[in-house]
Amino acid sequence: MTTLTARALLLDMDGTIVNSDAVVERCWRGWADEQGLDGDEVMKVVHGRQGYATMAALLPDRPMERNHEENRRMLAAETADMDGVVPVPGAPAFMAALERLPHALVTSADRGLATARMGAAGLPMPAVRVTAESVSASKPDPEGFLKGAAELGFAPADCVVFEDSEAGIAAGRAAGMRVVGVGPRAAAHGPDVAVPDLTSVRVEAGADGGIVLRITTTG
């Protein structure tokens, strides 16, 4: 058991509280086929980043304008496809425990996609959310997490990030925050604590108004 204390939590969405892997696989493997790229290699890069940033990493010589154009089409396709979108195990209880505690969503999805996926998973949308429209740089840049902390009114060192991807974990660490890695992708990328899913996390209100996390670690 590991215990962490915080003043606020910053939550990634895809792979962390919402399992959207089925949609991501369908959309991005289709894009990989169109570009003549290996689907398995594309899937190693896609998680955590905004779509245009994934495209730029995979096709570095292509004009960024084209990446942004294709990203808009990708977002529309993903927003229209909710088949297989479900909560990560433990996410409903986790989000319910956070209802009256400071927390924010920090996602690479845009507002429309975030709203659709949170709804499909049956999870409440946090009052504070940082989406793709809110930032000028995609994860692994820390801008999103720093904005989330600022909107909640807490210093980065007082926040704990929940993330699943290499890019997201790097962003949280670059923001000067502690990171709980969630799911099978996370443990390899240096989070402070790794858990298989959110059933391993218990959220309690601290006596001083803070947040206490009781975490059953994976080892």
Side-chain angles (χ1 to χ4, degrees):
M1 181 76 71
T2 296
T3 301
L4 297 178
T5 58
R7 305 298 296 180
L9 303 187
L10 302 176
L11 316 174
D12 173 56
M13 183 179 70
D14 294 304
T16 301
I17 57 176
V18 173
N19 182 347
S20 57
D21 282 359
V23 180
V24 174
E25 288 268 344
R26 282 194 294 273
C27 290
W28 280 96
R29 286 186 181 276
W31 180 85
D33 288 344
E34 292 172 2
Q35 307 304 319
L37 299 173
D38 182 272
D40 290 340
E41 294 303 312
V42 169
M43 296 313 299
K44 291 177 183 178
V45 178
V46 67
H47 296 289
R49 292 177 171 85
Q50 292 190 42
Y52 75 84
T54 294
M55 294 169 186
L58 292 164
L59 298 170
D61 297 327
R62 197 166 73 161
M64 189 58 76
E65 293 81 3
R66 184 173 173 190
N67 294 335
H68 282 287
E69 179 184 346
E70 289 192 7
N71 184 47
R72 286 189 288 271
R73 291 201 297 268
M74 181 70 72
L75 284 169
E78 289 186 283
T79 303
D81 185 355
M82 292 295 121
D83 188 18
V85 175
V86 295
V88 165
F94 177 78
M95 296 300 289
L98 285 178
E99 182 180 4
R100 292 180 174 82
L101 298 172
H103 66 288
L105 189 73
V106 181
T107 175
S108 294
D110 67 3
R111 283 189 294 269
L113 182 56
T115 300
R117 284 187 176 163
M118 291 290 282
L123 299 176
M125 177 65 81
V128 176
R129 54 254 192 193
V130 179
T131 59
E133 299 92 338
S134 310
V135 297
S136 61
S138 172
K139 299 172 186 176
D141 191 283
E143 181 185 0
F145 287 123
L146 292 172
K147 281 199 168 186
E151 287 196 34
L152 291 170
F154 295 103
D158 290 330
C159 299
V160 169
V161 165
F162 280 73
E163 264 286 359
D164 74 301
S165 69
E166 180 179 10
I169 290 168
R173 296 187 73 85
M177 301 172 184
R178 291 157 292 160
V179 181
V180 176
V182 180
R185 290 185 288 269
H189 302 299
D192 294 277
V193 183
V195 296
D197 56 46
L198 293 171
T199 62
S200 299
V201 181
R202 189 168 79 249
V203 178
E204 301 172 2
D208 61 352
I211 300 170
V212 179
L213 301 170
R214 312 282 186 192
I215 301 170
T216 304
T217 59
T218 57

